[in-house]
Amino acid sequence: MPDEPNYNLDSPVLGLTGVGPTTERKLQQLGIYCIGDLLFHLPVRYQNRTQSTRIGQLQEGREALIEGLIDSKNISYGGRRNLTCRLSDTSGTAQLRFFHFSKQQFDALKPGYKLQCFGTPRKRKNNFEFIHPEYKIGTAFSVFPKVETLTPVYPLTEGMHQRKISGLISAAFNLLDNSKLESIELLPTSIRESFKLTNIIDSLRVIHSPPRKATSDIDQFILPHLRRLAFEELLTQKIYLNQERKNNSRWHAYRFPYTDLKEDFFGQLSFSLTSDQLKVVSEIERDLNHVTPMNRLLQGDVGSGKTVIAGSICASVVGNGYKAALMAPTELLAEQHHKTLSTWFNPLKIDTLLLTGKLNSAEKKAIYKKINSDRPLILVGTHALFQKQAKFKKLGLIIIDEQHRFGVEQREALLNKSRSGNLHAHQLLMTATPIPRTLAMTAYSQLDISTLRHLPKGRKRVATHVIADTRRDEIVRRIGDVFRGGGQIYWVCPLIEESKKLEKEAAKSIADKLSEVLPEMNVGLIHGKLSEQEKHDVMESFVNSRINLLVATTVIEVGVDVPDATLIVIENAEHLGLSQLHQLRGRVGRGDKEANCILLYQNPLSEIAKERLEIIRSTNDGFKIAELDLKLRGPGEFLGKRQSGIIQFKIANLMRDSHLIPEVNDAASQLRDLPEPTKELLFNRWMMIPHLKSLSQKSNETD
Ligand code: ADP
Ligand code: MG
């Protein structure tokens, strides 16, 4: 057809069938701007809908497709308004439950009609129940069409549905003619042959729509295709790092030799540093006394005492007449750091300032003025540190806490602030999520790494208990005891559904129940639907003990210090990653009191889930946990999931794929002369963060 639009990889998604401005915005949140991006929006896992399960054979927690006749439906108002619908086949009866529903939806559920439903059954009394499952209604005699292959599950954003995104992805494959599709292949044939890489178009097709024969063993089937993409991603990373190293070699840094202020700093501390901390401080001091800019990562478990290290090196820099900046991902954390550093530096007559988005414009102006002066000082802040109006003079050191919470471009923006001539600041990144050794030696080779291996002496281990969630009553009693003993409690209910709204409802209903049974306590609630300001206010009330029990989704992860928090209860612990559980557990036991962590799970637990919870119960060593965490996941589970770390990988997993590294390095050196435009395309494919992508998109528009 002559007037059929001619689609390219970089044709915008707006205008595809079903994509108006609202959908366009949602796709952008997922990093999808053009048709080519759709092809690289990869599934996180697969669902098996090829066979239906008889109701009598359902297993708790195992996803299933069932079919049956509608028996009855009912709207009840006890507690939360909800709609239930009973469904049976010849083997048994199950129930569907909805908290959000329309009248239309209610009317369509006609007793005697057939219904097909897909979801995860949960045991409730003697029956199985599906909460908010997907379903189709037929007539009394319908036969539902059979699904022949595995169904990919894509990362979503609020208001975007699986069916919509898979529809768009297959549309993208169909709209691009062969020559356009072929241009996706960026690796030369010679490289593909010598490293036995599949063709990328084949691999993408298989990953998006696995053929029927893959149903019995998807992991094995998909592995070569994953390897192809992971190889390309690692290769791109390597090419990028090689280029960065070349660019960086032209930057120099100020030298900061020994000063008396450092002695004064140590003199006023109420504790002495551990030998681990002293070793790290001397590693950093050596870097600071050098004209090559420091680019160092400090990794140390929660509570290992990274802040005092940050303080001591600030002393070296300020003692030499320069400024040091410490950036943290949240206002509360920035405030805590500011408070800590002020107690250390006020007696030494050194200014410590706090710059966050909350300040009014007069306060901000006063700070901008000070940081643009010659005076040495310490500045603590959030993202506000690299806003346009902030201009620095003599910024000699940048420290970034919880670095994985910042994007590369945000760290770069702050570093930019320190630049003058060919000089820029030394950089220290801090993280509590340790990087496994295999990884440290490979992809992170552009960074020097310091490690705090041991916690300060006298720190009490958080005792961890793994308990079935049928024993809630006991736990509620325990909470009462902790409260009467003057302690504070976290109750974490993590996201299991893919919706912030449902997550909020779950958290809210727990909070309501707990305040009902423990009326003497002040129960607070924090979840992802609150604004930054609201979250901050709730956290602050908890820090100041106005709230005794804080019910939270996983938004509390980051390093906030509440010394009286001595108990944390984590629900559905079997659904969380080990490192994440360890981080959450690190929220308690930060004072000198005994602390406990209770991991609640739902029965039945798979063998692997048991093993994982046992690891958390029996060890408090974050390094060991991180290694085991990566080992215990299967390839299918890793598909396309983003991991936190300095470098965000889309698909590569350094535990699974680390054996590729020597080959990747080899390929990178063979590709020294890769044409610039091809390099750009690779960077754009694998390294762009949605935010940057929108910037580059905008500049294209104005060209
Ligand atoms: P993190 O590494 O998680 O950021 P912090 O820096 O917040 O840990 O330190 C946790 C607690 O340990 C703080 O209260 C800090 O004052 C204390 N601390 C740090 N170093 C030592 C030490 N050498 N001896 C005793 N307490 C210490
Ligand atoms: Mg910290």
Side-chain angles (χ1 to χ4, degrees):
M1 271 176 282
D3 52 356
E4 186 81 349
N6 203 356
Y7 287 103
N8 286 314
L9 285 168
D10 51 10
S11 308
V13 283
L14 184 70
L16 290 182
T17 313
V19 184
T22 317
T23 306
E24 183 194 30
R25 214 166 339 104
K26 288 186 179 138
L27 289 170
Q28 290 182 352
Q29 283 169 11
L30 294 167
I32 301 170
Y33 288 80
C34 57
I35 295 189
D37 295 336
L38 278 167
L39 306 182
F40 283 88
H41 190 66
L42 302 173
V44 276
R45 61 188 184 90
Y46 298 94
Q47 288 170 340
N48 191 345
R49 303 173 182 224
T50 59
Q51 271 165 350
S52 57
T53 304
R54 296 178 43 79
I55 292 177
Q57 325 264 261
L58 285 173
Q59 287 178 29
E60 166 103 33
R62 172 170 293 185
E63 266 181 347
L65 181 77
I66 58 168
E67 277 179 31
L69 292 174
I70 299 175
D71 292 335
S72 61
K73 58 176 170 179
N74 181 40
I75 297 180
S76 68
Y77 295 89
R80 289 159 74 201
R81 192 175 90 107
N82 64 83
L83 162 64
T84 51
C85 167
R86 299 186 70 78
L87 185 73
S88 43
D89 65 11
T90 51
S91 69
T93 303
Q95 179 159 280
L96 280 54
R97 189 185 292 274
F98 302 89
F99 296 105
H100 307 280
F101 55 91
S102 62
K103 176 162 184 311
Q104 249 173 337
Q105 215 174 341
F106 177 75
D107 291 343
L109 293 167
K110 294 201 171 77
Y113 277 36
K114 269 198 168 174
L115 186 145
Q116 187 186 54
C117 144
F118 182 82
T120 309
R122 295 265 167 234
K123 194 114 200 168
R124 191 183 163 97
K125 297 184 185 140
N126 285 324
N127 276 321
F128 280 109
E129 177 170 281
F130 291 79
I131 297 182
H132 276 267
E134 285 176 51
Y135 67 93
K136 277 187 208 155
I137 304 174
T139 62
F141 305 104
S142 305
V143 177
F144 293 102
K146 222 170 149 32
V147 176
E148 305 275 1
T149 57
L150 294 180
T151 312
V153 179
Y154 293 99
L156 294 177
T157 178
E158 199 91 13
M160 170 67 69
H161 299 284
Q162 289 296 346
R163 229 173 286 168
K164 178 108 193 176
I165 194 107
S166 22
L168 288 171
I169 291 168
S170 40
F173 274 108
N174 294 332
L175 290 171
L176 295 165
D177 61 33
N178 279 340
S179 68
K180 300 281 166 45
L181 270 179
E182 274 158 25
S183 66
I184 300 175
E185 183 57 86
L186 298 174
L187 301 185
T189 323
S190 58
I191 291 286
R192 280 188 358 241
E193 280 170 1
S194 31
F195 297 97
K196 303 205 172 48
L197 301 174
T198 56
N199 174 300
I200 195 163
I201 303 145
D202 294 346
S203 289
L204 287 173
R205 280 196 199 279
V206 168
I207 289 173
H208 286 297
S209 43
R212 212 188 300 182
K213 58 178 183 262
T215 306
S216 57
D217 190 355
I218 183 72
D219 282 354
Q220 273 316 309
F221 197 86
I222 215 148
L223 217 51
H225 301 287
L226 277 181
R227 174 179 179 274
R228 161 61 164 109
L229 294 181
F231 193 99
E232 184 176 307
E233 182 172 29
L234 292 170
L235 179 63
T236 304
Q237 199 86 52
K238 185 71 190 174
I239 293 172
Y240 181 81
L241 290 178
N242 287 346
Q243 187 168 308
E244 275 291 274
R245 180 161 314 149
K246 228 159 109 192
N247 290 343
N248 280 343
S249 59
R250 64 198 169 93
W251 292 101
H252 290 249
Y254 313 100
R255 276 190 54 214
F256 301 124
Y258 172 85
T259 72
D260 290 340
L261 191 68
K262 208 182 107 188
E263 279 321 296
D264 300 343
F265 176 82
F266 286 135
Q268 55 75 44
L269 286 180
S270 59
F271 50 82
S272 38
L273 296 202
T274 64
S275 57
D276 243 17
Q277 286 171 319
L278 287 172
K279 184 190 76 183
V280 169
V281 169
S282 76
E283 283 166 1
I284 298 173
E285 297 285 331
R286 213 177 315 134
D287 288 353
L288 293 182
N289 196 4
H290 226 271
V291 293
T292 311
M294 170 170 77
N295 193 15
R296 188 174 279 278
L297 175 74
L298 167 56
Q299 51 175 2
D301 213 345
V302 270
S304 59
K306 295 184 286 295
T307 319
V308 70
I309 292 181
S312 97
I313 63 171
C314 286
S316 303
V317 171
V318 173
N320 275 286
Y322 281 77
K323 294 187 181 65
L326 169 60
M327 181 159 76
T330 65
E331 288 190 354
L332 194 69
L333 202 55
E335 284 164 18
Q336 283 199 346
H337 281 324
H338 176 250
K339 205 165 132 202
T340 309
L341 291 171
S342 305
T343 10
W344 289 333
F345 283 98
N346 286 351
L348 308 178
K349 307 271 177 310
I350 303 293
D351 266 355
T352 48
L353 310 178
L354 176 66
L355 177 59
T356 66
K358 234 173 42 179
L359 301 187
N360 66 34
S361 60
E363 291 167 325
K364 279 186 190 157
K365 259 201 195 124
I367 292 194
Y368 293 149
K369 195 161 162 221
K370 286 186 185 161
I371 61 179
N372 200 13
S373 75
D374 279 327
R375 274 236 316 271
L377 54 81
I378 296 169
L379 178 66
V380 183
T382 53
H383 302 77
L385 291 187
F386 57 79
Q387 301 310 314
K388 209 159 79 219
Q389 302 90 323
K391 295 203 171 63
F392 289 82
K393 241 185 218 166
K394 298 179 85 173
L395 177 56
L397 170 69
I398 290 170
I399 303 173
I400 299 182
D401 195 19
E402 308 285 349
Q403 63 80 26
H404 58 281
R405 301 274 303 246
F406 292 96
V408 185
E409 83 286 6
Q410 297 177 317
R411 298 199 297 262
E412 185 67 18
L414 184 54
L415 190 60
N416 244 325
K417 298 267 172 197
S418 74
R419 285 182 174 150
S420 88
N422 68 340
L423 290 169
H424 75 199
H426 294 283
Q427 264 196 111
L428 180 71
L429 313 178
M430 306 203 291
T431 183
T433 311
I435 291 157
R437 220 164 356 121
T438 33
L439 211 153
M441 290 178 337
T442 55
Y444 292 72
S445 53
Q446 88 282 19
L447 281 173
D448 295 308
I449 297 186
S450 290
T451 303
L452 287 176
R453 202 71 185 77
H454 307 285
L455 302 189
K457 275 213 191 59
R459 189 65 53 77
K460 295 216 172 61
R461 192 170 173 278
V462 178
T464 304
H465 319 271
V466 178
I467 296 178
D469 91 337
T470 43
R471 288 167 57 193
R472 274 167 188 258
D473 291 351
E474 264 170 68
I475 291 158
V476 171
R477 274 198 300 277
R478 184 126 172 207
I479 288 179
D481 293 342
V482 169
F483 165 67
R484 283 181 289 275
Q488 288 172 274
I489 300 106
Y490 286 105
W491 183 296
V492 183
C493 25
L495 174 104
I496 343 178
E497 319 287 342
E498 280 173 17
S499 142
K500 275 190 189 157
K501 195 153 148 205
L502 287 178
E503 179 187 46
K504 177 187 134 188
E505 307 262 323
K508 189 163 179 318
S509 89
I510 294 279
D512 290 348
K513 267 183 219 148
L514 288 170
S515 34
E516 209 178 289
V517 286
L518 296 162
E520 69 278 29
M521 292 181 60
N522 230 335
V523 178
L525 177 62
I526 191 167
H527 53 76
K529 277 259 170 190
L530 297 182
S531 70
E532 283 307 311
Q533 184 60 44
E534 289 167 326
K535 280 186 216 162
H536 174 269
D537 293 347
V538 176
M539 269 322 288
E540 193 168 49
S541 305
F542 190 58
V543 172
N544 298 333
S545 313
R546 284 195 299 274
I547 291 176
N548 317 110
L549 168 75
L550 182 63
V551 176
T553 57
T554 47
V555 297
I556 54 154
E557 258 178 274
V558 120
V560 178
D561 229 343
V562 184
D564 284 336
T566 53
L567 174 63
I568 184 165
V569 180
I570 305 172
E571 278 199 86
N572 292 308
E574 74 275 22
H575 290 285
L576 292 177
L578 296 187
S579 296
Q580 201 179 9
L581 284 172
H582 181 64
Q583 291 292 315
L584 286 170
R585 172 169 64 183
R587 295 304 105 230
V588 300
R590 302 180 72 87
D592 46 12
K593 301 191 189 109
E594 298 278 350
N596 288 282
C597 168
I598 297 177
L599 303 177
L600 288 181
Y601 64 87
Q602 294 200 335
N603 264 320
L605 266 189
S606 68
E607 279 311 308
I608 190 130
K610 266 184 209 154
E611 201 179 326
R612 289 157 54 93
L613 292 180
E614 174 55 22
I615 290 173
I616 290 289
R617 197 196 60 75
S618 60
T619 171
N620 261 334
D621 181 340
F623 287 83
K624 212 159 126 193
I625 290 170
E627 298 258 356
L628 290 171
D629 192 15
L630 291 173
K631 271 194 199 133
L632 278 177
R633 299 192 209 179
E637 255 184 285
F638 249 131
L639 192 59
K641 201 179 232 166
R642 281 172 195 257
Q643 305 135 58
S644 57
I646 300 208
I647 302 174
Q648 303 271 330
F649 287 100
K650 285 192 171 139
I651 192 148
N653 161 237
L654 284 149
M655 213 47 151
R656 180 193 66 205
D657 301 324
S658 60
H659 65 281
L660 295 178
I661 302 271
E663 286 180 293
V664 165
N665 291 346
D666 194 4
S669 49
Q670 290 182 38
L671 287 174
R672 281 244 168 73
D673 304 322
L674 200 64
E676 264 329 295
T678 311
K679 269 195 219 167
E680 283 305 314
L681 287 170
L682 281 170
F683 295 160
N684 193 50
R685 175 178 296 173
W686 293 110
M687 307 191 52
M688 274 295 195
I689 338 193
H691 159 73
L692 274 188
K693 224 169 188 169
S694 79
L695 288 180
S696 70
Q697 203 77 9
K698 279 195 195 102
S699 67
N700 283 346
E701 280 161 19
T702 51
D703 278 350

